[in-house]
Amino acid sequence: MSIAVVGVDIGGTKVAAASLREGRLGESVVAPTPLADGPMLVDAIVAVVRDAAGDRFDAVGIGVPSIVEFETGRVISSVNVPLADIPLRQVLGERLGVPVFVDNDATVAALAEAHDEALRPVTRHLVMLTVGTGIGGGMVLDGRIYRGCSGGAGELGHTIVGLEMSDQPVPPPTSFPQPGSLESVASGHALDRMGAEAAEREPDSELGRLRARGLPVLGSEVVAAARNGDPAALRTLDIWGQHVGIGVANAINTFDPEEVVIGGGGALAGQLLLDPVRRVARGYVVPGLVGRAVIRLARHGIRSGVLGAAMLAIHELEPLRTAVLDRATTETIIERTGGVE
């Protein structure tokens, strides 16, 4: 019987889950992310897993926007969702009755993006930037997920890209995301802020007219207005893309990957995001690396996180199943031989 798993992608605004069996990813079940406390979020995860699973599932993979101690599945630190210090692997395993594997959301998305639509590996060196409520990062280096010594590798959103220092002392740190971090200037929240500022600054623009009518001017409105040709929205989106491009340039200069992939909800902006990203990244990548890395949008789209979480479950479950079969075979041999070799 083939393995059936469920992948879960936890974001700052929604929790999505889908089943993966026989190489086919099912339809996603989506629910709002409860942000009041951890137990409510755990309840929501359990609910979407059961809704997505169908008649059977053997394991669950979870991608969280957090630093995770992978061996235990404990969330060490979490900025955008209330999961800090929760032993998520243990808690969900007890609730669901199957093995659960927990990793960073961008890390599992990177795993998915290193594979094609048929789930065949196609690249060995890849950096993933997930642009959503915040900015996450994941890496596949030399064909393997790279987690670092504590599971926190790839927090590219918290790299500092715009801190004013000149001849002054470094300002004291504040809360995360820190001012000057990539997340503070290039995340979905940053685009929300930039859109609201553009609407106030240019009242005759499409964004300004939305504001005058009392409607929200968030990132999705900026993208929609840009697609309609609104000059203020196009300028705003271009500047936002330039900010993301600096993060991409830093990733190339640091890791020399074959591919840098942009995913998450921000990638729905498509070429309006990708064009300024590529333009700026080319200018800030050191000469010896220019043109080597492919900069692209996620081939699996916004489902990279769900797919990667499901693939994580399969990758981690197979060794467990093999170990169980090996142990059962050994016990059978001992039983039949009376323990004599």
Side-chain angles (χ1 to χ4, degrees), residues 86-322:
I86 292 179
L88 201 57
R89 179 176 182 174
Q90 176 186 339
V91 170
L92 290 174
E94 291 172 353
R95 293 280 298 272
L96 295 168
V98 297
V100 174
F101 306 97
V102 184
D103 211 337
N104 175 265
D105 59 344
T107 296
V108 299
L111 175 64
E113 286 298 319
H115 293 73
D116 66 11
E117 290 79 0
L119 306 188
R120 296 171 301 202
V122 290
T123 184
R124 295 182 59 79
H125 303 279
L126 178 145
V127 175
M128 180 91 185
L129 278 174
T130 54
V131 182
T133 304
I135 289 187
M139 294 168 290
V140 173
L141 303 179
D142 200 23
R144 302 175 65 87
I145 288 176
Y146 182 73
R147 298 185 176 93
C149 68
S150 64
E155 287 292 333
L156 302 179
H158 297 296
T159 57
I160 303 301
V161 298
L163 190 64
E164 177 58 42
M165 290 186 286
S166 60
D167 297 327
Q168 302 300 314
V170 174
T174 60
S175 60
F176 284 87
Q178 296 285 341
S181 67
L182 183 63
E183 183 167 312
S184 72
V185 298
S187 65
H189 276 330
L191 182 60
D192 293 343
R193 183 187 68 247
M194 294 166 67
E197 291 170 352
E200 183 176 5
R201 188 172 57 248
E202 304 191 46
D204 293 332
S205 67
E206 184 174 334
L207 299 178
R209 290 191 293 272
L210 286 172
R211 179 175 181 271
R213 290 158 53 195
L215 297 174
V217 182
L218 302 175
S220 56
E221 284 74 33
V222 176
V223 173
R227 287 185 173 139
N228 291 334
D230 180 64
L234 285 166
R235 281 194 299 274
T236 300
L237 207 56
D238 189 83
I239 292 170
W240 178 61
Q242 292 179 43
H243 294 174
V244 178
I246 291 296
V248 169
N250 286 344
I252 295 172
N253 288 334
T254 304
F255 298 105
D256 186 21
E258 294 171 320
E259 297 184 347
V260 178
V261 180
I262 301 171
L268 294 174
Q271 289 298 132
L272 292 170
L273 170 62
L274 192 59
D275 288 345
V277 166
R278 286 173 169 168
R279 185 177 72 244
V280 166
R282 279 197 300 268
Y284 282 86
V285 169
V286 296
L289 299 180
V290 172
R292 292 180 178 270
V294 173
I295 303 170
R296 63 172 176 85
L297 301 174
R299 67 164 55 89
H300 300 295
I302 60 173
R303 305 194 79 196
S304 291
V306 168
L307 175 60
M311 292 176 65
L312 172 73
I314 290 175
H315 286 193
E316 297 299 322
L317 183 62
E318 286 177 341
L320 288 181
R321 287 165 65 100
T322 299

